[in-house]
Amino acid sequence: MLLEGIETLLVLAEEGTMSRTGSRLYISQSAVSKRIAKLEATLGTKLIIPAGRLIKLTPDAHALIKNVGPSFNEIRGLIFEHQNLDDQSIITLDCSETLVTGYLSDALGQYFQYDKYISITTHHTPVIVENVQSGKASIGFCAGHLPANYNFIAEHLMDEPFKVIFNQPLTTLPKAMVVNDLKNPSNISQAAVLQKHGITPLMEMDSYTASAQLALAGMAPALVPKSIVKTLAIKDKFCFEFEELVELTRPINLIYRQNSYKSPRVKTLIETIADAVATAI
């Protein structure tokens, strides 16, 4: 019951409301409230405070999450490693949206005919890392830099290049561009390269697709990875490369817990993804 309560608190911290937390955990809103109340009673401290439609965490809750959250996810991951995957167990593949559309759609469409017990979710890299570490996902397929310390296998597949997209000819490196969220830890290295070349992040989007569409509409040049160029079938005349930005790439990695690879089904899916990326390079 204690682990159940901690899991609920961790999700509540991310979602901000009882209803969204319940939806994510597949339980009712009242069940979320009861779990938090039991955790508070066990710990003898207040963890949440109502704040309109949202829930505000107390300092004790923040301290608990900081101290217990990483260990809790590791415990979940260790439990996950002891689960046996039979032929009908669901294998969860957590992906970057840009990667699954840019590199895997055809391969996974064919793979699904071979193994229908596959579930695909899409998140940003920090969430994918968390889900693999906790066992919520069997495999992660992510873009950008990984955290310095992790306890899973990271298989580097490629360094994906970027292109500058605009609907008008560009003869010199733009001084301002639409970029993706530079506060995202997996994108933080991009900020240093842009700053070195005096490029101002004009807007920081949450979606490379949105950045590309704004550039194609003429708002401003946008920095877009190869997978998005491929997915949107952006014509060469709208794609520009500059020598100054050659160093600007993002690593593409497959991540998974070591014991997961012992499952023949997981191993086959990992090899299928790696082959699809190698073919697309």
Side-chain angles (χ1 to χ4, degrees):
M1 294 299 292
L2 183 61
L3 292 179
E4 190 176 71
I6 292 174
E7 178 187 34
T8 305
L9 180 65
L10 292 173
V11 175
L12 181 59
E14 294 176 359
E15 298 295 340
T17 70
M18 294 284 192
S19 60
R20 290 202 296 263
T21 300
S23 296
R24 184 163 153 186
L25 294 174
Y26 300 101
I27 59 177
S28 67
Q29 185 172 332
S30 62
V32 173
S33 182
K34 289 178 181 178
R35 285 186 180 185
I36 296 298
K38 288 181 180 179
L39 182 61
E40 289 179 328
T42 300
L43 299 177
T45 187
K46 194 70 175 174
L47 297 173
I48 63 172
I49 301 171
R53 297 178 61 185
L54 300 176
I55 295 297
K56 182 179 179 181
L57 301 183
T58 67
D60 283 343
H62 284 294
L64 179 65
I65 291 170
K66 180 180 179 180
N67 293 327
V68 176
S71 298
F72 176 81
N73 284 332
E74 178 59 18
I75 290 171
R76 285 194 55 166
L78 291 172
I79 293 173
F80 167 78
E81 288 189 350
H82 288 280
Q83 295 176 346
N84 292 319
L85 291 174
D86 58 32
D87 290 343
Q88 296 185 357
S89 297
I90 298 297
I91 295 176
T92 300
L93 170 62
D94 201 5
C95 304
S96 162
E97 182 180 3
T98 60
L99 298 184
V100 73
T101 55
Y103 296 113
L104 296 188
S105 53
D106 290 340
L108 290 180
Q110 297 173 15
Y111 189 86
F112 194 70
Q113 305 306 312
Y114 161 77
D115 187 345
K116 296 185 180 298
Y117 298 98
I118 304 294
S119 175
I120 301 172
T121 56
T122 56
H123 292 101
H124 293 309
T125 294
V127 177
I128 296 173
V129 168
E130 179 184 323
N131 287 344
V132 170
Q133 289 188 140
S134 67
K136 293 179 183 178
S138 303
I139 305 170
F141 183 40
C142 52
H145 291 273
L146 299 173
N149 299 309
Y150 52 81
N151 54 1
F152 48 74
I153 303 299
E155 185 177 338
H156 179 254
L157 301 182
M158 66 177 291
D159 288 314
E160 185 179 43
F162 283 81
K163 293 183 182 294
V164 178
I165 306 300
F166 200 38
N167 71 341
Q168 301 171 31
L170 292 174
T171 56
T172 59
L173 184 66
K175 292 301 181 183
M177 286 192 287
V178 178
V179 299
N180 218 41
D181 182 12
L182 297 178
K183 294 181 290 295
N184 184 323
S186 62
N187 296 335
I188 198 165
S189 64
Q190 297 179 23
V193 176
L194 296 175
Q195 184 179 21
K196 182 172 72 173
H197 295 291
I199 299 172
T200 300
L202 189 61
M203 289 177 277
E204 294 187 34
M205 309 297 291
D206 191 49
S207 163
Y208 281 117
T209 299
S211 298
Q213 296 289 18
L214 289 175
L216 292 172
M219 178 168 283
L223 193 63
V224 177
K226 175 183 175 181
S227 51
I228 288 297
V229 173
K230 178 182 177 182
T231 299
L232 299 180
I234 300 175
K235 296 180 180 179
D236 289 342
K237 66 179 181 179
F238 301 132
C239 301
F240 304 92
E241 298 179 0
F242 297 94
E243 185 177 349
E244 298 93 327
L245 299 182
V246 170
E247 64 179 308
L248 191 60
T249 61
R250 61 175 189 167
I252 307 301
N253 292 290
L254 266 173
I255 62 176
Y256 47 90
R257 297 185 70 94
Q258 187 169 5
N259 280 359
S260 297
Y261 197 72
K262 295 178 181 179
S263 164
R265 291 178 59 218
V266 171
K267 180 179 179 181
T268 300
L269 182 54
I270 288 171
E271 292 173 346
T272 298
I273 295 170
D275 288 345
V277 174
T279 301
I281 296 176

